[in-house]
Amino acid sequence: MASFRVIVVGGGLAGLSATMKLAELGAEVWLISLTPVKRSHSCCAQGGINSVNNLTRQLGDSEWSHFEDTVYGGDFLQHQPPVKEMAEWAPRIIDLMDRLGVTFNRTPEGFRDQRRFGGTLYPRTAFAGATTGQQLLYALDEQVRRWEVTGHVRKFEFWEYLGPVLDENGVCRGCTVQDLVSMEIRALPGDALVIASGGCGVIFGRSTMSMACNGSAVSRTYQAGARYGNPEFIQVHPTAIPGSDKLRLMSESARGEGGRVWVPRRPQDPRPPHQIPEKERYYFLEERYPKYGNLVPRDIATREIFKVCTQEGLSVEKDRQCVYLDLTHLPRDLLDRKLGGILEIYEKFQGVDPRSVPMKIFPAVHYSMGGLWVDYERTAAGGLRIGSPRNQHTNITGIFAAGECDYQYHGANRLGANSLLSCIFSGLIAAPGILSYLKDGDQGARDRSPSSLFKQAERRQRERLEELLRRPQDGDNPYLIHQELGRVMTAAATVVRHNEELDRAYEKVLELEARAKHCALSDRGSWTNQNLVFARALEDMFPVAKAILRGARMRDECRGAHYKPEFEMPPITAKDPAEARRQAEAWCDRFEANTRRWLESTIATCDSGGEPAIHYEEVDTGLIPPRPRLYGLVGGQIIEQVWRERQQPQVAAAASSG
């Protein structure tokens, strides 16, 4: 058997890719999953996975363009070497998944089909209908099962991660877990720990995420001393179905295949949409961003939809905010072949055929760009040194993170179809780094760690469980506290943010946290006690919620998904060319000042009382200098002209020195 044991928390794409690669490299892997692996939230991803290929290269695309689109889309807030490496690995990752059996859509000639996604001008997204995440997940699951048969992998499905086990030097020696059927608590010895537990959307109550995405695994690691990067950057997806129970994603692939977003020019026009003439329809994304149209990045599309509904009063319905996402002009056979998965979801939950009637959609909490801080090692060429023990390593020795729960790849806004790529990529590159970490030092120490270390960890978790069970019955209902937390977070920290609202939200979250610590359980049983599991997870939502609010409150600017109107860059309003030029010069001056002050990652650490302490980290922008992020906005041409003129002397100086 392998000499090293690595514990992986999370059975989605990041966890499975890390597990597969670790087993391939000879490690023993224990895989912890809150749900059956094939029900991990990665299976809900719909639209596709980004990669350059030979067809897009013929259009002028390249790995560098993919890299540039990603950092431009993320408003330059991510370290560039990991992103560059991810873009360069993308074609190999797609080829790998193709060979593993993913049923990517094909053109009539037999090539992998590609569609456009937001934030790019190239059809760079490979896809398997509208169920791409599920197909990728199933392919990786098959590979992990193969290693399970050989004895390299052991799965713990329906087990919950409760926290890391750290020795007296702060080195991770394993973790505590709980069987969600028998409620048994165990401490598992391991030589390294990988957190690949996904996002934290449930903190916002209703989101496009599953109820397993509560952020508790990340929170427990954060509370144990791990740093949390860029917590305030929460992506609100522009197109989802509003629902009383949750918000269901309508993939960006609908717009990638030609779907158009519009509202009637007459507020709450009572006519059926097909009776509204073209000239009376407001295709606002196409009019405001003609270069990118309906495929502007998600943060921009979300704000424009929100503005049209709330500020301009053009919501399709009077009592419910929504806009049309129209596919009715596209052939039905194309829709069924490429978008069947999401059209079935809409038809099932809305009772309307979106092939014939435009969908009604509105933005919804979808993704966390922030997550556990992880390191990397840069090469001289500006990429990653593959196999470095620093790659994906948190600040806690022996704990690594991969997937949505790390902060590394998306900056202030994630481009659509980069999530599946970053999950698989980060899992794959974490694995050789973990083996280097284990081989380079005295790390194979799980068997030499004193048994008392693990017994103490088990005892602490049992004491927490028993404290929950002993609580008086007159406490608050944890589910109602969660609903209130979701309302507070959604109101204060999603599309539009104001400092005074963030302050009030923080005080309210402190109040809810105090109530959650005394909430009552309706189930005191010792068998599949979901009430207890939820109440415990609820308590662990608060440290992350506070980090999100504190990070948002302290960042006085607009960047990607973080938008404060009072700090918004002013538009160019002048009609006179000279005055427009003067306004553009002032705009660029302010942009440069804002970049000097705020182009930094927010880094949160959790103090002993659960409060976030914030500091900032310089971002590596050595490959692509920051520039105004306009996406062809009407009226923005003068800003781009002024900016190019300002950069010419710097470019010339760099060329002469080179």
Side-chain angles (χ1 to χ4, degrees), residues 262 266 269-281 324 326 356 358:
W262 63 278
R266 189 206 315 177
D269 193 318
R271 291 175 291 178
H274 67 275
Q275 293 182 8
I276 300 176
E278 281 287 309
K279 65 181 181 180
E280 297 180 35
R281 299 180 179 188
Y324 287 128
D326 196 345
S356 304

Side-chain angles (χ1 to χ4, degrees), residues 334-472:
L334 179 146
L335 295 176
D336 288 335
R337 185 172 73 254
K338 295 188 174 183
L339 300 174
I342 63 170
L343 302 185
E344 290 170 8
I345 293 172
Y346 191 88
E347 196 165 10
K348 178 176 181 178
F349 287 98
Q350 299 296 96
V352 176
D353 182 359
R355 303 164 190 82
S356 304
V357 180
M359 294 185 277
K360 295 177 181 179
I361 55 89
F362 194 70
V365 171
H366 179 61
Y367 191 90
S368 175
M369 276 75 70
L372 294 174
W373 179 93
V374 291
D375 200 4
Y376 66 94
E377 184 173 348
R378 175 179 174 151
T379 65
L384 295 187
R385 185 172 77 80
I386 303 301
S388 169
R390 292 172 54 188
N391 293 339
Q392 304 300 131
H393 208 153
T394 71
N395 60 294
I396 298 179
T397 303
I399 300 183
F400 298 75
E404 185 179 347
C405 73
D406 83 56
Y407 91 124
Q408 190 73 281
Y409 296 94
H410 308 298
N413 170 68
R414 176 176 67 80
L415 294 188
N418 265 356
S419 61
L420 301 185
L421 174 62
S422 66
C423 285
I424 296 174
F425 172 74
S426 60
L428 291 176
I429 68 152
I434 292 168
L435 266 293
S436 296
Y437 158 77
L438 295 174
K439 292 175 180 177
D440 290 349
D442 182 25
Q443 307 300 343
R446 70 174 188 274
D447 294 327
R448 298 195 298 276
S449 298
S451 60
S452 59
L453 180 68
F454 301 102
K455 290 178 180 178
Q456 289 170 6
E458 288 180 0
R459 185 177 68 251
R460 285 193 296 269
Q461 294 297 341
R462 289 196 185 99
E463 288 172 352
R464 185 182 185 191
L465 180 148
E466 290 164 3
E467 186 275 327
L468 282 163
L469 293 174
R470 288 196 306 267
R471 287 181 180 174

Side-chain angles (χ1 to χ4, degrees), residues 127-435:
F127 60 97
T131 61
T132 310
Q134 184 184 53
Q135 309 313 316
L136 294 168
L137 187 75
Y138 283 15
L140 288 173
D141 175 64
E142 287 181 351
Q143 297 304 307
V144 169
R145 287 173 186 269
R146 180 165 67 90
W147 291 109
E148 199 174 0
V149 170
T150 67
H152 284 77
V153 174
R154 180 181 176 186
K155 281 182 187 162
F156 292 77
E157 294 178 310
F158 289 113
W159 285 71
E160 183 175 22
Y161 164 81
L162 302 181
V165 175
L166 308 181
D167 67 15
E168 66 277 7
N169 297 314
V171 177
C172 182
R173 300 301 185 191
C175 65
T176 51
V177 295
Q178 183 171 28
D179 184 336
L180 297 184
V181 177
S182 70
M183 306 305 287
E184 172 195 5
I185 291 177
R186 292 175 57 185
L188 304 181
D191 299 305
L193 177 65
V194 181
I195 307 297
S197 56
C200 60
V202 172
I203 290 175
F204 289 82
R206 294 186 302 155
S207 73
T208 65
M209 308 187 84
S210 77
M211 287 305 295
C213 298
N214 54 37
S216 61
V218 165
S219 178
R220 290 160 189 168
T221 310
Y222 167 59
Q223 292 174 71
R227 298 174 190 147
Y228 198 109
N230 290 334
E232 66 266 36
F233 292 97
I234 301 294
Q235 181 165 90
V236 180
H237 196 288
T239 57
I241 311 171
S244 59
D245 56 342
K246 76 180 304 293
L247 308 173
R248 292 174 176 86
L249 178 65
M250 283 293 103
S251 171
E252 196 166 289
S253 57
R255 286 174 285 137
E257 295 297 344
R260 304 177 75 186
V261 176
W262 63 278
V263 291
R265 292 187 182 273
R266 189 206 315 177
Q268 290 81 57
D269 193 318
R271 291 175 291 178
H274 67 275
Q275 293 182 8
I276 300 176
E278 281 287 309
K279 65 181 181 180
E280 297 180 35
R281 299 180 179 188
Y282 185 15
Y283 294 99
F284 52 92
L285 292 177
E286 298 173 28
E287 290 188 22
R288 298 176 187 181
Y289 299 89
K291 186 175 182 180
Y292 285 80
N294 294 287
L295 288 171
V296 290
R298 290 176 177 177
D299 61 315
I300 293 175
T302 292
R303 282 194 293 275
E304 295 293 352
I305 291 171
F306 193 81
K307 182 190 298 183
V308 160
C309 289
T310 61
Q311 296 180 22
E312 300 175 26
L314 293 176
S315 173
V316 168
E317 296 183 9
K318 182 177 181 180
D319 300 323
R320 185 180 68 152
Q321 293 176 346
C322 56
V323 301
Y324 287 128
L325 173 56
D326 196 345
L327 299 169
T328 59
H329 56 288
L330 299 173
R332 293 180 71 92
D333 63 331
L334 179 146
L335 295 176
D336 288 335
R337 185 172 73 254
K338 295 188 174 183
L339 300 174
I342 63 170
L343 302 185
E344 290 170 8
I345 293 172
Y346 191 88
E347 196 165 10
K348 178 176 181 178
F349 287 98
Q350 299 296 96
V352 176
D353 182 359
R355 303 164 190 82
S356 304
V357 180
M359 294 185 277
K360 295 177 181 179
I361 55 89
F362 194 70
V365 171
H366 179 61
Y367 191 90
S368 175
M369 276 75 70
L372 294 174
W373 179 93
V374 291
D375 200 4
Y376 66 94
E377 184 173 348
R378 175 179 174 151
T379 65
L384 295 187
R385 185 172 77 80
I386 303 301
S388 169
R390 292 172 54 188
N391 293 339
Q392 304 300 131
H393 208 153
T394 71
N395 60 294
I396 298 179
T397 303
I399 300 183
F400 298 75
E404 185 179 347
C405 73
D406 83 56
Y407 91 124
Q408 190 73 281
Y409 296 94
H410 308 298
N413 170 68
R414 176 176 67 80
L415 294 188
N418 265 356
S419 61
L420 301 185
L421 174 62
S422 66
C423 285
I424 296 174
F425 172 74
S426 60
L428 291 176
I429 68 152
I434 292 168
L435 266 293

